[in-house]
C-alpha cells in the first residue's frame, strides 16, 4: 500500500474483527439498509456520529457538514433527508450540534473567504438576531456556546417547515425532529427539547 498504510491496516483489522464477532455481519448489511435514525451533525472530527450514540453500521443514516446546517438551497442535505424519509422511512431525525464548534465561532469573527463565509452567513444572521440575549452573557465562551445551541434550534425549525417533512407528515408518516448538543468536554449528549412532531 503506497499511501496511508495505517488506514488500510486498521481497515483490515476492523473487518476481521467484525467478521470474527459476527460471521454474517457484512452479508446482512449488503442485503438491506433500514436505519431508524437520521443524524445531521457537524463535520468536526471530534464528534463521530455512530460512535457517540453506540450505533453500528446500518443503524444510522448520517449527513455531516460544517456547523450542522440545514439550508433550503442545499441539494446535498435535502437529498439525504428526502432519501432518508421517503425511501428508508426514517422517523427520527436528529440535529446534533456541539459546543466549541469552529463553524459557529467563525460567525463571531471578521468575514472569511468564500465559500465558507456564504455557508455560515445564516449563523452570522442568527447571532445578530439574538444580539440582546448574547450580549447579556458574561463572556465570549458563553456567547459562543449559546449560539451553538441557537443554531441547532434554527435548523430544527427549518426542518419542520421543509416540504419533505410537511408532506411526509401529511401522508401520516411519523417524523420526529430532535435538537441535541454534544459536549466535547465530557462526551455527553443533551436534548435541547426543541423537538416537534
Ligand atoms: Co462544529
Amino acid at each position: 500500500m503506497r499511501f496511508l498504510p495505517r488506514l488500510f491496516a486498521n481497515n483490515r483489522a476492523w473487518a476481521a474483527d467484525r467478521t470474527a464477532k459476527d460471521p454474517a455481519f457484512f452479508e446482512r448489511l449488503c442485503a438491506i439498509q433500514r436505519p431508524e435514525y437520521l443524524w445531521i451533525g457537524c463535520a468536526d472530527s471530534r464528534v463521530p456520529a455512530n460512535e457517540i450514540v453506540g450505533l453500528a453500521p446500518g443503524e444510522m443514516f448520517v449527513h455531516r457538514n460544517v456547523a450542522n446546517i440545514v439550508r433550503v438551497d442545499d441539494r446535498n442535505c435535502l437529498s439525504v433527508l428526502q432519501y432518508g424519509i421517503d425511501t428508508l422511512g426514517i422517523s427520527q431525525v436528529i440535529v446534533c450540534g456541539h459546543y466549541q464548534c469552529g463553524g459557529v465561532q467563525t460567525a463571531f469573527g471578521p468575514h472569511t473567504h468564500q465559500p465558507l463565509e456564504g455557508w455560515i452567513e445564516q449563523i452570522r444572521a442568527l447571532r445578530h438576531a439574538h444580539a440582546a440575549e448574547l450580549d447579556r452573557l458574561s463572556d465570549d465562551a458563553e456567547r459562543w456556546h449559546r449560539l451553538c445551541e441557537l443554531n441547532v434550534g434554527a435548523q430544527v425549525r427549518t426542518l419542520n417547515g421543509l416540504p419533505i417533512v410537511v408532506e411526509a407528515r401529511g401522508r401520516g408518516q411519523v417524523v420526529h425532529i430532535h435538537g441535541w448538543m454534544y459536549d466535547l468536554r465530557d462526551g455527553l449528549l443533551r436534548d435541547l427539547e426543541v423537538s416537534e412532531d
Side-chain angles (χ1 to χ4, degrees):
M1 219 60 70
R2 268 180 78 203
F3 299 111
L4 310 180
R6 182 164 76 98
L7 302 194
F8 283 90
N10 287 352
N11 169 251
R12 284 190 298 274
W14 173 79
D17 184 57
R18 279 283 173 187
T19 311
K21 286 176 181 152
D22 178 359
F25 182 74
F26 290 108
E27 208 176 307
R28 229 175 26 248
L29 279 186
C30 288
I32 196 163
Q33 172 173 227
R34 194 170 285 156
E36 281 179 53
Y37 316 95
L38 166 58
W39 175 278
I40 299 174
C42 185
D44 193 301
S45 64
R46 300 165 295 180
V47 193
N50 283 64
E51 205 170 321
I52 62 180
V53 286
L55 292 178
E59 295 184 321
M60 191 160 72
F61 204 44
V62 174
H63 176 77
R64 293 169 69 180
N65 61 41
V66 170
N68 39 271
I69 292 172
V70 178
R71 281 181 66 135
V72 297
D73 61 352
D74 178 11
R75 287 193 199 196
N76 183 353
C77 180
L78 296 193
S79 297
V80 169
L81 188 72
Q82 181 185 342
Y83 191 80
I85 289 177
D86 292 354
T87 305
L88 300 175
I90 287 173
S91 57
Q92 306 294 337
V93 179
I94 299 152
V95 178
C96 187
H98 68 100
Y99 296 111
Q100 294 167 272
C101 180
V104 172
Q105 188 179 35
T106 305
F108 284 102
H111 282 237
T112 184
H113 301 294
Q114 295 296 354
L116 183 59
E117 181 57 34
W119 180 250
I120 59 105
E121 67 188 359
Q122 62 164 259
I123 305 180
R124 232 183 250 290
L126 197 64
R127 176 193 157 207
H128 292 302
H130 290 268
E133 179 192 346
L134 294 169
D135 287 346
R136 279 196 300 274
L137 298 173
S138 60
D139 60 32
D140 287 348
E142 273 192 55
R143 280 185 272 278
W144 181 15
H145 283 187
R146 181 62 187 141
L147 190 56
C148 290
E149 295 174 348
L150 290 168
N151 178 48
V152 169
Q155 310 319 317
V156 170
R157 281 193 299 281
T158 299
L159 280 162
N160 276 306
L162 287 174
I164 296 164
V165 172
V166 172
E167 285 164 20
R169 286 171 175 163
R171 295 191 299 266
Q173 196 172 331
V174 175
V175 183
H176 292 284
I177 314 239
H178 310 277
W180 293 359
M181 289 299 297
Y182 176 72
D183 198 327
L184 298 173
R185 294 164 298 190
D186 57 15
L188 294 177
L189 287 167
R190 188 160 68 83
D191 190 342
L192 291 175
E193 291 172 13
V194 290
S195 306
E196 282 180 48
D197 52 31

